[in-house]
Amino acid sequence: MTDTNDPDGWRSLARSMVRSIKRDGYLHSPSLEQAFLDVPRHVFVPEFFRLKQSDEGLTVVDGIVDAVDPAWLATVYTNEALITQVKPIAGRPGTTTFTCSSSAPALMADMIEELGIERGMDVLEIGTGTGYNAAILCRLLGDQAVTTIDIDPELSAQARERLASLGCHPFYEAIAGAYDRILATHAVADIPYDWVRWGKPGAVVLADLRAPENNTVGAWARVVIDQDGTTATGTLMDPRGYFMSARKVPEFANVGEPAPELTEEEHQQRAERTRLRRTAVAADVVDAPDFALFLWRAAPRLMFATTTDGAAILNGPRAESWAHVVGGDVHHGGAEDLWAVVEQAYERWNSAGSPPKESWTIRVDRHGRTTVRLPGEDDRCCVG
């Protein structure tokens, strides 16, 4: 029998989705729960990309799911992130990657609850995307308390139309010193100084701090804008989800500097220039989440990864230096010994007591520089 109060069936699906989110330990606030019940997610996700694993193990697009597909509506009302846009990768013709999604609803709820967002606050969302999160905030706080911005004019226009269709009219331009809470729905390598300028003294900013070249390396950063309104300080925490890297321009995805693709001749040249030495630091240290995060902050232009057989592979900017570490042997070449960079960072981290990320301090200074500091270190020791 059709529910006359829910002829399209979305409200019953939304209730099921909310029950699932609550079972996972989110949506403690009754008003936030009601917002997820009231806002139709399908309005903001009229279609999404079906994904699959390629033969190379990469996640690739395998078609589009829209209202014609019987699975569309039920899938929209699951606690899943849904990819809604892909863009080319700058400098890599013929390649694309994901640039927008409708985030998993539990992740949205988690960020809102982590920030303690409630009525009476003015909130800035950076990364409008589909507009779904902005609609939740509008329902929770009222339109006049919400501002949402995006680098992509196409996404902004679509979101504005969808929001308006539901009677939601947030602001679409950020202004200085206006917000109590700021949340970003994309990852950043550093906290942009504009975010400090846009917040009130005492405002809280929540962002996913993440390496563009390696999305497994990152943390959530929760910083408070200091009373002078020109700096911000805070702490890191384990990421309870991660986001795509912020784009530098609307036209292209941002995946950082690509790993070098060497020709056979270049491989031979590297082999001839490679030197060998021993190390006491095991290759798998770059897989330890806290140290990997510290290494990225200490050497942000160093690209590092491990292979399935446990070797560490490192490349410097423009592939001018390289290293391959396995079984205590360091094969390195180029202008800089890259494993020495790792050894120095590891010694510093160990000297501080191998502290977890939650005990570090993060700061955005008045010059716009984002730095982290280990416990017991002074400002002279902090790293970018």
Side-chain angles (χ1 to χ4, degrees):
M1 180 181 295
T2 301
D3 184 346
T4 57
N5 295 317
D6 185 20
D8 299 323
W10 75 265
R11 290 189 180 277
S12 61
L13 291 170
R15 288 193 293 271
S16 177
M17 181 185 76
V18 164
R19 286 194 296 270
S20 173
I21 296 171
K22 288 174 67 68
R23 282 196 300 269
D24 289 340
Y26 305 100
L27 283 178
H28 303 290
S29 161
S31 57
L32 182 57
E33 177 182 343
Q34 192 61 50
F36 276 94
L37 289 170
D38 289 345
V39 175
R41 191 185 188 197
H42 68 279
V43 170
F44 299 93
V45 191
E47 62 181 26
F48 60 89
F49 290 99
R50 182 186 295 112
L51 306 178
K52 69 174 183 178
Q53 293 293 111
S54 70
D55 294 338
E56 295 78 24
L58 301 174
T59 303
V60 297
V61 170
D62 185 35
I64 294 176
V65 179
D66 58 20
V68 176
D69 192 312
W72 167 71
L73 190 64
T75 306
V76 166
Y77 288 96
T78 58
N79 185 27
E80 300 291 336
L82 301 172
I83 301 298
T84 56
Q85 186 190 61
V86 296
K87 288 278 186 177
I89 300 172
R92 297 165 65 179
T95 61
T96 59
T97 193
F98 316 130
T99 48
C100 183
S101 71
S102 177
S103 298
L107 177 58
M108 295 165 52
D110 191 16
M111 293 190 78
I112 292 170
E113 291 181 327
E114 177 65 39
L115 280 169
I117 292 174
E118 57 188 28
R119 277 199 174 266
M121 292 181 175
D122 291 302
V123 175
L124 171 63
E125 176 196 35
I126 304 171
T128 307
T130 67
Y132 181 47
N133 197 58
I136 295 292
L137 291 170
C138 285
R139 178 67 179 81
L140 182 65
L141 305 174
D143 296 4
Q144 298 304 297
V146 179
T147 299
T148 181
I149 60 175
D150 202 288
I151 192 174
D152 191 324
E154 177 186 356
L155 290 178
S156 294
Q158 291 173 346
R160 188 180 296 215
E161 183 177 336
R162 293 163 184 163
L163 286 160
S165 73
L166 299 178
C168 297
H169 301 281
F171 297 105
Y172 295 98
E173 184 175 347
I175 58 176
Y179 307 103
D180 301 287
R181 298 289 188 269
I182 297 174
L183 70 159
T185 58
H186 56 256
V188 290
D190 296 293
I191 295 176
Y193 193 65
D194 275 344
W195 299 7
V196 177
R197 291 196 310 104
W198 290 334
K200 301 173 183 176
V204 184
V205 181
L206 183 62
D208 184 22
L209 207 66
R210 193 161 298 278
E213 294 88 356
N214 187 348
N215 63 18
T216 66
V217 179
W220 279 12
R222 189 182 193 276
V223 301
V224 178
I225 298 174
D226 299 325
Q227 290 305 310
D228 63 7
T230 65
T231 56
T233 55
T235 55
L236 301 176
M237 65 184 81
D238 272 334
R240 301 194 290 268
Y242 70 89
F243 293 91
M244 304 169 193
S245 289
R247 280 181 273 172
K248 297 178 180 178
V249 294
E251 296 81 10
F252 296 104
N254 178 21
V255 295
E257 184 174 336
E261 296 182 6
L262 303 179
T263 65
E264 186 174 343
E265 181 181 0
E266 288 170 329
H267 276 294
Q268 181 61 35
Q269 291 173 348
R270 272 196 175 190
E272 293 170 355
R273 297 169 56 198
T274 295
R275 302 180 292 279
L276 174 65
R277 69 173 178 85
R278 295 288 293 172
T279 182
V281 177
D284 63 2
V285 298
V286 300
D287 270 344
D290 288 327
F291 176 67
L293 178 64
F294 180 71
L295 177 60
W296 167 51
R297 300 308 300 178
R301 303 194 69 191
L302 176 67
M303 290 183 284
F304 56 91
T306 55
T307 63
T308 54
D309 60 1
I313 304 294
L314 299 92
N315 282 284
R318 299 178 298 280
E320 292 174 350
S321 299
W322 62 90
H324 177 270
V325 184
V326 60
D329 288 333
V330 180
H331 304 265
H332 67 100
E336 185 177 16
D337 182 345
L338 296 181
W339 195 248
V341 175
V342 177
E343 291 169 327
Q344 291 160 13
Y346 193 62
E347 179 181 1
R348 180 174 158 195
W349 186 62
N350 276 330
S351 296
S354 306
K357 65 177 73 68
E358 292 84 358
S359 64
W360 307 356
T361 301
I362 180 170
R363 179 175 173 79
V364 185
D365 66 24
R366 63 184 68 249
H367 304 293
R369 186 177 64 148
T370 300
T371 56
V372 297
R373 187 173 62 206
L374 299 179
E377 292 187 332
D378 59 29
D379 288 331
R380 294 170 297 176
C381 297
C382 59
V383 296

